[in-house]
Amino acid sequence: MHRLSLCGLRCLLVLAALAAALLSRAAAAATPEDVARDLRTIEAQVALASDKEVVLNRGLVSGVQEGDLFTIFREGTPVKDPGSGRTIGVLEEPVALVQVESVQDLIAVGRPLLQLGPLAKGLKAVRFKEIPTLLVDLERSTGSFQYQSRVKLLLKQLDWAAPRPGDETLVQDWSEARLQERGINLVFVLAPGELLMFNRKGQPLRRWERE
């Protein structure tokens, strides 16, 4: 009786290990929905700012990670009601793009990758929003086309650039200069079995496995 129970226990442990392995393998294959959740917008404010460093009031607790890109906004042109003349809103203008380099529980520290104006305490910052973005499909299959179309639809807060012939050469022989000419600051590379994300300098920011 003791032998049978011991065998049963061992069998259960083996089955549990196999199930865990299968679950982990399935979880590693990121769907477009998983990618969108990972890159969801997070709103913050600038707590401290200089030309070389920006401190945001959101951190690990809010889901911020190292490598995240935040667009910094300032208030732009007021919008007036044509009938009453009253101000009914204010347009936002991007003033900088900041990459997070270190994260604590409640703050994130980054450096400006692009700056169009002065940075100041209290400015609004939003993660992965209105960033000129290019997706390069190296797999070029029906499945990859469906995958990238879904990613673009779910991450519509990014500013997707239209693909051009020869985009593959931008990432195969990385050309920051050519990306800069087109105003591209974020690059997704869809390769067999994976989706990669880089900043304009070619530094890797994220990697997702896919089927």
Side-chain angles (χ1 to χ4, degrees), residues 125-176:
V126 185
R127 187 179 79 150
F128 295 117
K129 183 175 182 182
E130 294 186 25
I131 302 174
T133 304
L134 178 67
L135 191 149
V136 179
D137 185 357
L138 298 181
E139 183 176 321
R140 304 179 72 84
S141 67
T142 301
S144 67
F145 177 78
Q146 293 173 344
Y147 194 95
Q148 67 163 291
S149 298
R150 187 67 178 158
V151 167
K152 289 180 177 180
L153 178 65
L154 294 171
L155 291 173
K156 56 187 176 183
Q157 74 269 17
L158 294 173
D159 185 7
W160 292 100
R164 296 180 183 176
D167 278 347
E168 295 83 0
T169 62
L170 291 174
V171 296
Q172 291 168 343
D173 299 312
W174 197 274
S175 176
E176 182 184 356

Side-chain angles (χ1 to χ4, degrees), residues 10-202:
R10 286 175 177 169
C11 290
L12 286 174
L13 290 173
V14 170
L15 288 173
L18 287 172
L22 289 172
L23 285 173
S24 64
R25 183 178 297 178
T31 66
E33 287 75 15
D34 294 327
V35 176
R37 277 191 293 270
D38 191 17
L39 303 181
R40 71 189 186 280
T41 56
I42 297 174
E43 190 168 319
Q45 284 186 307
V46 175
L48 294 170
S50 69
D51 290 339
K52 295 183 178 179
E53 186 176 83
V54 176
V55 181
L56 304 174
N57 67 342
R58 293 289 183 271
L60 294 171
V61 172
S62 301
V64 179
Q65 301 180 42
E66 288 185 18
D68 283 353
L69 299 181
F70 278 81
T71 303
I72 312 296
F73 294 93
R74 65 185 173 195
E75 290 189 354
T77 306
V79 179
K80 296 184 180 294
D81 185 278
S84 65
R86 292 182 305 171
T87 299
I88 55 176
V90 178
L91 297 178
E92 293 180 333
E93 298 176 351
V95 67
L97 182 65
V98 171
Q99 180 172 322
V100 173
E101 294 190 327
S102 63
V103 192
Q104 300 178 26
D105 285 346
L106 300 176
I107 65 170
V109 181
R111 61 183 175 88
L113 297 179
L114 177 67
Q115 191 169 342
L116 304 175
L119 294 169
K121 180 179 178 180
L123 289 179
K124 179 179 175 181
V126 185
R127 187 179 79 150
F128 295 117
K129 183 175 182 182
E130 294 186 25
I131 302 174
T133 304
L134 178 67
L135 191 149
V136 179
D137 185 357
L138 298 181
E139 183 176 321
R140 304 179 72 84
S141 67
T142 301
S144 67
F145 177 78
Q146 293 173 344
Y147 194 95
Q148 67 163 291
S149 298
R150 187 67 178 158
V151 167
K152 289 180 177 180
L153 178 65
L154 294 171
L155 291 173
K156 56 187 176 183
Q157 74 269 17
L158 294 173
D159 185 7
W160 292 100
R164 296 180 183 176
D167 278 347
E168 295 83 0
T169 62
L170 291 174
V171 296
Q172 291 168 343
D173 299 312
W174 197 274
S175 176
E176 182 184 356
R178 288 173 60 192
L179 290 169
Q180 187 172 1
E181 287 176 4
R182 292 174 59 180
I184 303 296
N185 292 312
L186 186 62
V187 178
F188 287 80
V189 178
L190 193 58
E194 61 184 357
L195 175 66
L196 308 168
M197 186 174 75
F198 302 87
N199 66 15
R200 189 172 68 194
K201 295 180 180 295

